[in-house]
Amino acid sequence: MALQKSVNLYQAAAVQGDRASQNPFVYTPQNYTAGADITVGSFVWESAEATDPKQVLNTGTGAPLGFVERILAVYNYDLTSEGTLIIPKGQNVTAVALRGDFYIPANTTVTVGMAVFANTTTGAATFAEAGSSQSGAVETSWRAMTAGNEGDMIIISNEAPVVASSGGSSPDLSSYAKADLSNVTGQLPIANGGTGVTAVGTAGQVLTVNSGADGTEWTTPTGA
């Protein structure tokens, strides 16, 4: 590739299109080829052209097919060229995600819960309030899971539950993944997800349901 022109003090948090978690991801059941140059970390639509395999494009109408994950699957044979996030026309697009957590750059100041919109001309992902009308873009099921300023890498997801806020259509995720465990001491009952026991058994014992089928106890397994 071309000679390096700058040096950063710190490693980038992520690159556009990178996975942002180890949560389950869902992809299209078939692979596609690029009907035109495809930008990684953007949205794509299935081409109406009858081809085998089918093609995807960064342009379309209505809800996009999915999001293109960055998986470093395309070779760059021009050793003097700059690195790009482009999958050339005709190359395989092997990771079109239907669900998952990814990084994308913020096009504006982003707050948690903002909706992700797909530009119908470029496939670019942008942020705006859920339910708002954005010229040349359609709202997707993805939402901002982190906040940041323009240019920051933002985690987006369509896996987390979204709860409507009392003030309007913007989702309120302020209580997401929070739990008050300050009063959890001693024995944790079965009804609350515990085992109902307060001590560890002896070596070789296993935790089983008692004879009354109303609790658990440590028992020593017997031979078959």
Side-chain angles (χ1 to χ4, degrees):
M1 61 187 303
L3 293 176
Q4 185 172 340
K5 297 182 177 65
S6 62
V7 177
N8 295 323
L9 293 177
Y10 305 102
Q11 182 178 353
V15 175
Q16 174 178 324
D18 280 347
R19 280 190 175 199
S21 75
Q22 294 302 317
N23 289 330
F25 287 74
V26 179
Y27 299 91
T28 55
Q30 66 183 62
N31 290 335
Y32 291 84
T33 58
D37 287 355
I38 297 294
T39 302
V40 171
S42 68
F43 291 98
V44 290
W45 288 258
E46 186 174 302
S47 172
E49 186 176 349
T51 59
D52 185 19
K54 293 184 177 180
Q55 298 178 343
V56 288
L57 302 167
N58 274 143
T59 61
T61 58
L65 172 66
F67 180 86
V68 180
E69 181 183 341
R70 176 176 178 261
I71 59 172
L72 303 178
V74 177
Y75 291 100
N76 181 2
Y77 294 102
D78 185 354
L79 299 181
T80 62
S81 70
E82 296 284 353
T84 70
L85 291 172
I86 300 298
I87 300 175
K89 178 180 179 180
Q91 293 284 338
N92 289 330
V93 184
T94 56
V96 178
L98 305 178
R99 303 189 71 84
D101 307 335
F102 299 98
Y103 284 99
I104 61 172
N107 65 304
T108 185
T109 300
V110 177
T111 57
V112 173
M114 289 181 72
V116 180
F117 286 74
N119 187 293
T120 56
T121 301
T122 65
T126 57
F127 294 93
E129 292 298 327
S132 64
S133 178
Q134 301 298 313
S135 177
V138 293
E139 185 174 340
T140 72
S141 60
W142 270 269
R143 295 292 183 266
M145 302 304 293
T146 57
N149 298 316
E150 182 177 355
D152 290 344
M153 281 295 172
I154 304 296
I155 296 176
I156 63 171
S157 175
N158 58 357
E159 295 283 5
V162 176
V163 181
S165 68
S166 58
S169 59
S170 298
D172 179 9
L173 303 181
S174 59
S175 62
Y176 177 65
K178 291 183 179 179
D180 181 9
L181 302 179
S182 60
N183 62 342
V184 178
T185 59
Q187 182 190 62
L188 186 60
I190 294 175
N192 291 344
T195 62
V197 298
T198 58
V200 177
T202 59
Q205 287 191 313
V206 296
L207 190 64
T208 61
V209 177
N210 62 23
S211 59
D214 57 3
T216 58
E217 63 182 5
W218 293 104
T219 60
T220 301
T222 58

